Amino acid sequence: MRDFPNETLSKNLLAISGFNLQEATAIGEAHPHPHVQHKAAKNGMLIPVVNQDGRDRPLHSLFDPIKEAKRLTEHVSDGGFVIVFGFGGGYHIRELLQNPQVESIIIIDFDYDVFRSIFSFIDVSDIFIDSRVRIFIDPDPQQLRNYLLERYIPALMGDVRSVPLRSRSSMAEQAFNAVSLVVQNTIESVSDDYSVQARFGKRWMSNTIANLAIAERSVFTLSPQKKAMIIAAGPSLDNNVETISKLAKDHFCIATDTALPWLLHNSITPDIILSIDCQTVTYHHFLYKFPQEIPVLFDLASPPTLSRQIHQPLFFSSGHPFSQYVHNTWRTFPEIDTSGGNVTHAAVSLAHILHVQQLKIFGADYCYPNGKTYANGTYLYHYFRSKENRFSSCESALADFVFHNAEADFHRKTQTTIYQTPSMRGYKHRIQQLLTSVPITIENFSPYWGNVVQAGSKHSNCIRRIPRWNQATENWKQFLKTYAKNLLELELPKQNLTRFFTDQDKKSLQLWMTVFPAAAYFRHNSLPESQGKALLETSRKWIVSEIEKAIQSQL
């Protein structure tokens, strides 16, 4: 039977509706749970008690719930982004809110009827009027994942901390474990992305700014292709010279930059070269002359020292925030998925948007068979030979390249010892996911893959757009000047970051997002103690200085 809202329930529902309207509505429509009561602790605090299997189980200490809450949350003294498993009477959450360094609190729990009962006798309105608090009851895994991906900004919010209320989570252990796994996998994904931003965020920004002068002029048309092949640079490539030479006559050849020297050495001319690395080491792939009419497709964040040397440089937009901002507000570029972290993954994405139906992949080994790094003739061989001497040979340098990684493991396959690093396994896993999602029939010629031929998905969610380079809305200098002006006009946060970014309009949020990778770099490399407002201001000033340098260099 539905109870009539009492004053406490009404007050709680009003408070929670401010930032958690969906949950407030569901609690308001729920029924009182027949097994939820309350008892007074020795200090007079009301404690929710759940009768489970004929036994009363209090959700907090019946002696001193405040002292217990302090003990539960003492490991969160540095603040950060906190995920709480189990609400109970909210005493531990109230304790967290007293720490101004806590940027965000996400509460996860189950059963609206339980909340209906608790909200009827314990006033928790002060918890839910705090803009840092969000609650998920009976959470949808994808909805929870999306929220975490959108709201957790490691560079600004610090580490993720978890606070489990054991007395509550033990009552629904399977449900809490399942949602905990979703949280763990999502946070790992965000953390991986942060690690990449912390390493390359500054370079992405500076390279993209410097490339805009050339990107403004690049024009090219890529036609749809029925049959294509991707040439990666793994050791198995050496076994397929004749096959690739024959296929080049009627297959559109997409060369990864690493494989370019090998192709030129074997007199095979690719139709396009793809390069996604922002590091200057990429320059080594292009040290050998190749026909100037071959287009080279660069990430907007590729090294400008390289793109300026290429006769026909083209650019695409990847997932980097500033690259996306350029694409959305200045000039449309082809969008290629670089989330796999390696150029072969990006090449599959390119084949997909070219409407390729049949795709052959060579050299995508994602391992070191018998300790061999790349196909013969690729950049590492030339690089190490240029540095060898009587005490350090090219062969020893190549061996060190493979075995210096303590996390590399190995296994035997027929007569071959396969060495593989964690990053290689990650690359392979992500490209396998992509291959199963695109409507392309794949034939993989690497002997180190399980499935040689793979039928593509008939129900791909990936959008297929022919690559387009639209006209820029204004010249590149004016675009950068406007961008810098808009950045400097953004108001810095005066309250907690969760509320601040929630309140930002779409335009302001897009601008702030372009700052996050640089902020990750500064937080990780030079300003480890800096957070929030100070970190945003430092990153913003640096970006504006890079823009001023780029404009001055072209005067």
Side-chain angles (χ1 to χ4, degrees), residues 397-430:
L398 287 167
D400 184 63
F401 183 86
V402 175
F403 300 117
H404 81 284
N405 191 328
E407 294 183 316
D409 57 26
F410 67 92
H411 63 276
R412 295 282 295 177
K413 183 175 182 180
T414 59
Q415 301 300 311
T416 306
T417 301
I418 308 296
Y419 295 88
Q420 194 173 48
T421 64
S423 60
M424 284 179 164
R425 284 192 292 273
Y427 294 153
K428 185 173 181 179
H429 174 70
R430 288 190 287 274

Side-chain angles (χ1 to χ4, degrees), residues 120-161:
S120 296
F121 57 78
I122 298 180
D123 184 355
V124 291
S125 58
D126 60 313
I127 292 174
F128 290 105
I129 61 174
D130 195 302
S131 60
R132 291 175 288 176
V133 176
R134 297 293 184 274
I135 186 168
F136 290 84
I137 304 172
D138 297 339
D140 173 72
Q142 191 58 49
Q143 183 183 6
L144 178 59
R145 176 177 171 80
N146 290 341
Y147 182 88
L148 291 170
L149 290 173
E150 291 171 7
R151 302 293 179 174
Y152 175 45
I153 309 168
L156 304 178
M157 296 181 173
D159 295 334
V160 174
R161 311 281 187 181

Side-chain angles (χ1 to χ4, degrees), residues 198-307:
R199 185 177 179 187
F200 299 120
K202 190 178 175 184
R203 191 169 295 182
W204 289 342
M205 177 60 76
S206 59
N207 285 358
T208 303
I209 290 171
N211 275 325
L212 292 189
I214 308 171
E216 183 179 31
R217 304 190 299 268
S218 66
V219 178
F220 196 75
T221 300
L222 287 175
S223 304
Q225 303 292 329
K226 183 177 180 180
K227 297 190 291 185
M229 59 179 173
I230 292 171
I231 313 301
S236 68
L237 198 58
D238 291 326
N239 303 323
N240 292 286
V241 179
E242 291 184 12
T243 304
I244 294 172
S245 297
K246 292 177 182 177
L247 290 174
K249 298 174 183 177
D250 63 350
H251 281 65
F252 185 79
C253 182
I254 302 172
T256 63
D257 53 2
T258 321
L260 178 60
W262 183 92
L263 288 167
L264 298 175
H265 177 75
N266 289 287
S267 303
I268 301 169
T269 303
D271 294 291
I272 193 168
I273 304 161
L274 182 63
S275 181
I276 71 168
D277 200 335
C278 69
Q279 300 175 95
T280 52
V281 69
T282 306
Y283 197 90
H284 288 276
H285 307 318
F286 295 90
L287 291 176
Y288 310 93
K289 289 185 178 180
F290 60 93
Q292 290 190 345
E293 65 271 14
I294 302 176
V296 182
L297 187 55
F298 291 107
D299 190 323
L300 275 168
S302 294
T305 51
L306 177 57
S307 59

Side-chain angles (χ1 to χ4, degrees), residues 283-338:
Y283 197 90
H284 288 276
H285 307 318
F286 295 90
L287 291 176
Y288 310 93
K289 289 185 178 180
F290 60 93
Q292 290 190 345
E293 65 271 14
I294 302 176
V296 182
L297 187 55
F298 291 107
D299 190 323
L300 275 168
S302 294
T305 51
L306 177 57
S307 59
R308 290 167 186 160
Q309 306 302 318
I310 302 299
H311 176 70
Q312 195 167 190
L314 302 174
F315 293 91
F316 68 88
S317 173
S318 61
H320 308 148
F322 185 57
S323 179
Q324 285 290 304
Y325 183 83
V326 168
H327 171 79
N328 291 329
T329 60
W330 181 60
R331 188 183 183 192
T332 300
F333 294 90
E335 293 183 272
I336 292 178
D337 180 8
T338 60

Side-chain angles (χ1 to χ4, degrees), residues 357-369:
Q357 298 174 26
Q358 299 173 29
L359 180 64
K360 294 176 172 60
I361 304 177
F362 295 89
D365 299 328
Y366 296 108
C367 65
Y368 300 135

